[in-house]
Amino acid sequence: MALGLTHFLVVSALLFCLGLYGVLTRRNAVAILMGIELMLNAANINLVAFNKYVAPAALNGQVFTLVVITLAACEVGVGLALVMAAYRNLETVQVDRINMLKW
Amino acid sequence: MLLLDWLYVAAFAVIGLLLAALSLAIVWVLSPRSAYPQKRMTYESGVVPIGQAWAQFNIRYYLFGLVFVIFAVEVIYLYPWAIVFRQLGKFAFFEMLIFLVVLLLGLAYAWRKGALEWT
Amino acid sequence: MNWGAEIAKAVLAAVGMFTFLAIVAAMFGVLLERKIGGWIQSRLGPKHVGPQGLLQTLADTLKLLQKEHITPRAADAVVFNTAPLVVATAGLMGWLVIPFGTLGGTVLVVRDLNIGILFFAAMASMTVIGILAGGWSSNNKYSLLGALRSASQMISYELPLGMALVAVAMEAGTLSTVGIVRAQDGWMGSFIFRQFPAFVIFLVAATAEVNRVPFDLPEAESELVAGYLSEYSGMRFSLFMLGEYAEMFAMAAMTTTLFLGGWKGPLLPPLVWFFLKMYLVVFFMMWVRWTFPRFRLDQLLSLCWKVLLPAGLIWILISGYRITF
Amino acid sequence: MERYLLTITVFLPLLGGLIILLIPKGRDELMKWVAAAAAGLAFLVSLWLLGPFEMGSAGMQLQERYLWIPGIGINYHLGVDGLSLPLLIMTALLSLLSVVYSWRIEMRLKEYLFLFLLLETGTLGVFVALDFFLFFVFWEITLVPMYLLIGIWGGPRREYAAIKFFLYTLVGSLAMLLAIMLLYFNAEPRTFGILELIQQQPLARVPALAALAFWGFFLSFAIKVPMWPFHTWLPDAHVEAPTAGSVILAAVLLKMGTYGFVRISLPMLPETFKLFAFPIAILALIGIIYGALVAMAQTDLKKLVAYSSVNHMGYVMLGVSAAAAAVGVPEKAHAATIALNGAVFEMIAHGIITGALFLIVGVIYDYRAHTRGVAEFGGLGARLPLYTGVTMMAMLASLGLPGLMGFVAEFLIFVGSFGVFPELTALAVTGVIFSAAMFLWTIQRIFLGPLNPKWAELPDLDRREVISLAPLAALMLAFGVYPRPLLDMINVAMTSLVAVLR
Amino acid sequence: MPIPIEDLWSLVPEFWLAALGLLLVLLDLFLPGDRKRLVGWAAVVGLLLVLMPILGMLGTPARTVFFNTYAVDGFAVFFKIIAVVATILVILSTMDALRGHTSFEGEMYVLLTFAALGVCLMAASADLILLALSIEFVSLSSYVMAGYFKSDLRSNEAGIKYFLFGAASSAVMIYGFSILYGLTGETNLYAIADRVRTAPQPALVLAVGMALAGLGFKVSMVPFHQWTPDVYEGAPTPVAAFLAVASKAAGFAALVRFLMVAIEPGPVDWVAPIAGLSAVSMTLGNLLALPQRNIKRMLAYSSISHAGFLLMGVAAHRGDFGAPGLLIYLLAYTFTNLGAFFVAIAVGGRLGSDEIPSYAGLAQRSAGLAAVMALFMLSLTGIPPTGGFLGKFYIFGAAVNNGLLWLAVVAVINSVVALYYYVNVIRVMYLLPAPSGGSASGPVPLRLALGVAALGTLVIGIFPQPFVTLVGAAAMLLRM
Amino acid sequence: MGTLAAFFILSAVTLIPAVVVVTSKNIVRSALALVPTFFGITGLYILLRAEFVAGIQVLIYAGAITVLILFVIMLTEGGTGIRIRQVNEQVPVGALASAVLAALLIWVFLRTPWPQGPGALPEYTAAQIGTTLLSSMVLVFEVTSLVLLISLIGAIIIARRER
């Protein structure tokens, strides 16, 4: 068995679903964000793997990965700012306690 | 073979961690132990710790972290540009000029709005 | 390819390099620091253990090895013990891409990675994680505070550091360290001339990055009970120290590589040139330590964000303009 | 000028309404006069239409046609024929009379008048629109003002009645929209022109879609008519609406439904209509008998009139479905024509009579007794002679007394539909008996017998009430005695319609 | 690969918007605190000016520029117009709404301008990378705007919820994009279209489904709608208006281009699921809107239901009524919904409440406001002669034309249900007595925005031909 | 063979800490566990010949994003040391959904005949990425700067106190 594309895809699928699990089950906004990061990383693995095995002629996959990393950074920046602002007012970062409005 | 390079990197990482852990293990074997409970208390200037080890720290830590993340991302775009802009001519320079001017504006904003002040 | 042999070679290289570093960087470095400190303050420094106190650090190390192993009860033991490993390893990893010189036709470098300086910057940034982990796991508010301050400082100075690296990469057109040295031909070819602002930025940022005076605020004993290190003792403490010294020497080596023409120089063998330049930079850093007072945190961060970072960005643009047109 | 007569008729009221909006608060008299002027002018212009209108010609006349949304083949297309012109004039007249009747409204006058005039524009437009899109727009425009008229100026349960009215009719109109779309997309070339579609018969070859489209239209029109069992909104709406609103609702809005059956369902989907004519006739029959019986059980005057509307519209639908059943059967064409003539005549007759009846109820309820309970009255005949005269005339007209308008209509319908559905018609005639009984009993209870001392001081009709009721009474009588001019006009249109269907 | 200079000319509007945004940042930095409104006016002027180059591109032939990463066609132009017009109106309304809530006034205009740019980019992106980037561009600015009132707990909550939902669904979407890239080896939509025919089925379905998650989030399609009510209620009202209109329009632009350009040639049947989602969205949105007492929350659920209607246009995209219908519905919806939110701003600002019962007797307190609100409610219901009606007309026509009669019937039923809660607002305003005096008319900029919204709603309903021509051109050029 | 072994080791390094990330009761440990996960992913990138992306992965994910996350955790509840239940009541549902999705994804991935494109990756990916970014992806490149700008501005707005 030689190392091939599907190996990476399986890891990516598992990582994605772990991230999803985190997103679905965590109460802490930051923890949910970490789950989202895992999901994005899974997508990145896909992109890089496909770039090598499917379309090695151009580097679109890797460029996409860079963009995703950038977006992840921006999301973390903005998202954590919102978390901090909410924490200042509510003294909690548990999303089910941030619940003035009907959920 | 490119992967060979990274085999060395991996080896360095693993060995580094192992050696450091080894030193700790040696100490763990050699060092004296006492069951003197005060020693294992948190050291806070000799005063008995009260409450949790936490205070509502300044949001400024976050602001610095934020600006850092944004500019760290910016820097990653500089690296590939830096190695090829020579070949790509003046277009590449102007592209980067726009990119950097936009981010300098961001820096100016952060500066002017006091996100870079500690006090 | 024979993987077994390669792995064996890699492990040997790693062990060799680390041993070398532990001696040259850490032990000798500490001694050097004490000596220079003594010289600047017109006193003698360590003198009794071994000839001229050469073995003083060894003795200290032996003492540290026997020190009691204290883990605070409220601390998170796993994280508490892992943090020093991370810091130490991160400090050592940077050496992987440093070219020491040439021997015959081959360059003496563990591996000439094609993303060399990026790798270096990445490894340097790992220290922050270790420090934060250490500070938090101590479960001590001074440690946590110290860790946060230290991390703030380090991440801030990573940026100018990166900018300086980019400026050099622009000049050399490559990220490989060997390539960068090769791009610096002759004495005037050293990038310190063409990239002098980048050199200054790099040096300042590197000094701050390794938490040295005047940027040693995070572990300022007089202000913060040794910062994030408060709860650390014994060997774990010395691992932090090892990482720090390793990184300081790595920074010096990198300065040499990037700006001082690396191993290149007339007459003397390349290896000698390299160490000469590196110790020059180390000496400079120690000299600064014993001469300048400590910055306040706000001054420290202002320097970074309001001087070094804009300067770096603008310098990159200037260099870009110069090289393009 | 003549080229734009229809447009002027339709939009004069709206113009008046917009002017009223600009009048500052407090100038109530001015607003009323402007409203009356707008409605009056619209009525006059609609009468003027009779001049250029050629009585003998069957086709659409006075057509106006401009590109509106050429991108999808929508035109601004107006026109009248013998079917729509009487309805147009009747609408204009009733609107004018209602404005006159509403003179004493004080609460939120500006909004009232604006909405009323907007409503008039919508109803007028429905009768002259010859493009489906335009037709639909006018059709829907009537909903909002009616909703608000009921909701703001209505009786105690006005909110419920208003929203019920709105919901019911919206269901219907959206169903119609889908039916229109089915026609449009099967036409070649695609068009929303009603006349063009009638000519094309786009769904003739796809019976399944034709049935869908038919039921779409049916739902819309049947709710509007209202046919049993879609009538439940009607008693609520009629009872709760202010008097003028009830008048327009009963006299005009209901006609939009039957007009739709005659103008659209019948010529557009004749085969399909024929297929379903019998069940529809049965529904109409149920409506006739149910309406009459339930009306008889009512003690509330307004409700009584409302249910009598269900009964009367049943006649209309009986006539229309009889005509539909005769499609493609040349020997029944004559009967079909008579039935249709009767149906259309009944629309006019019912408009005038029921309009009058609601005004009559309003007279006693709004300004005098403030109650509509039949049982609470008695012996008013001696006290209010003028009022009694008008009321009795309207009620007798409604029950179909010969010499008054209702009789002509019902007679024609029965004659016509007997040729197609003899059994159903025979049963339907019993409805006449029920409604006769109902009205006579009502007259007896209100006007005869001992006078309830409570009402001893009631004044008789004043001048303005006379002005609003007299024209209607005159028309009932005039067309009852001499229906020819109206019937001729209708007959030309219906004959050509039946001719096309054959 | 040098960049063709003539390509640059096709991007004049985007450059302009970007430059405008940067200029506003500068302006904001150097204006004193009490003059920040000037930033808003500068933004309005700049946006008005940018309309010129956008309109100037109306007739140009469809093509892609910048190495096929960016489409220049009528479709994109149409959405650019929507973005700019909506943003202008939102900025006008913002000038009133921010007072007293935040000291960061200038930045709001900056963010709105950049968000407008993001919407333009979303509508014209012809490359997955650029598409993902521009979606995040709009999202990130929206997250910030949703949480703009930092001392207001509900705004905090709106920001956090919007962020978490948005980030999660965009992660799913990017994963879907990555699979699509793996199946075709391309990131360019037009190149994908060439390769997608032979793409293996189940993976392609998976990719499209995951990509729909992110786009569905933007347009608040069920089941990615949960954020909508909380965010609309908690966010500052002008922001809610922006999300309901511009952000949603952009979502549809991206969705339509993605599906119709890249996926349409492939073997995946996406029409049926979209039709199903459309039915579910409109039904669920309507049913949940029924019991709402808060106007913003009601509008949020109504916007879910309108997403359903719009999806109906996506599902029934073929023919003269499909894509044009979608676009004209969006256009009418833009004006109408903006108007409804503006009334909410005016009322909320004066009466301090967004509860529908507090609208009682508005007709007597400020007749004009009540009248335009009634107009907007009727337009949302789809009563002629409003723009909303024309949109419904088109969409129903498209459904009938595409053989989706069942969906049209569902839509009819939903329209009737919707009538109930829309008319309820009219009922409260007109039928209920006013509790007390006090007029509730807004300041000049807000009234200006309201006027434009009302005018737009009416004009689209009464004289739609220019708009019909516009959307006809936009839809024709879509597939080049 | 060697690469396969490396792959499995790296997968373990990626996935096992990832499990800790999403399940640990201690939020700081979760965050710290991100670091080995990111390193594992870095290793996978290396196996895929994407050294530049790998470098960025460490620099940004491990070096910047994690640090920021740690900052925020330490500034909020993580710093308090109070143990709060970290999961909501959706655990079974979430686990089931994730498991089903994982099975589905893997099933689809395994049975899909992925196309094999022509050509080979360039030796020096960093340069090629630079070229791509500056030519065919130039719009992406410039828009990125704007995205960074608004994130910076937006986050500062949100994080700063009202005056």
Side-chain angles (χ1 to χ4, degrees), chain D residues 325-391:
Chain D
V327 166
V329 192
E331 58 270 24
K332 288 186 184 168
H334 185 60
T337 314
I338 296 176
L340 276 180
N341 280 339
V344 177
F345 200 87
E346 174 78 359
M347 289 189 217
I348 312 288
H350 178 256
I352 291 173
I353 296 167
T354 311
L357 279 172
F358 274 116
L359 287 178
I360 285 162
V361 176
V363 163
I364 195 121
Y365 172 73
D366 293 344
Y367 306 124
R368 291 182 174 75
H370 304 294
T371 177
R372 298 182 303 239
V374 178
E376 293 182 43
F377 296 106
L380 289 186
R383 186 79 201 93
L384 311 166
L386 208 52
Y387 180 74
T388 310
V390 178
T391 310

Side-chain angles (χ1 to χ4, degrees), chain C residues 52-131:
Chain C
Q52 290 299 306
L54 265 175
L55 298 178
Q56 178 64 48
T57 323
L58 192 64
D60 288 350
T61 308
L62 284 174
K63 179 196 77 176
L64 280 170
L65 277 172
Q66 294 176 44
K67 277 239 169 178
E68 193 179 353
H69 208 71
I70 301 176
T71 309
R73 190 177 30 202
D76 186 321
V78 177
V79 179
F80 188 76
N81 284 314
T82 318
L85 307 187
V86 172
V87 173
T89 313
L92 299 171
M93 290 289 280
W95 286 94
L96 201 106
V97 292
I98 305 282
F100 292 93
T102 49
L103 206 62
T106 54
V107 181
L108 289 175
V109 58
V110 180
R111 277 287 140 179
D112 176 27
L113 300 179
N114 61 12
I115 57 161
I117 56 177
L118 186 61
F119 176 84
F120 183 81
M123 288 307 133
S125 74
M126 278 303 89
T127 321
V128 184
I129 300 279
I131 287 174

Side-chain angles (χ1 to χ4, degrees), chain D residues 130-175:
Chain D
L130 288 181
D131 185 281
F132 262 130
F133 188 85
L134 188 61
F135 178 81
F136 190 81
V137 168
F138 280 129
W139 181 278
E140 296 260 283
I141 280 182
T142 61
L143 298 183
V144 181
M146 200 67 221
Y147 166 80
L148 289 172
L149 282 175
I150 300 175
I152 300 178
W153 292 274
R157 290 171 69 234
R158 54 180 179 257
E159 286 186 15
Y160 169 74
I163 192 71
K164 194 171 180 185
F165 161 78
F166 208 156
L167 287 174
Y168 269 64
T169 37
L170 191 72
V171 172
S173 46
L174 289 174

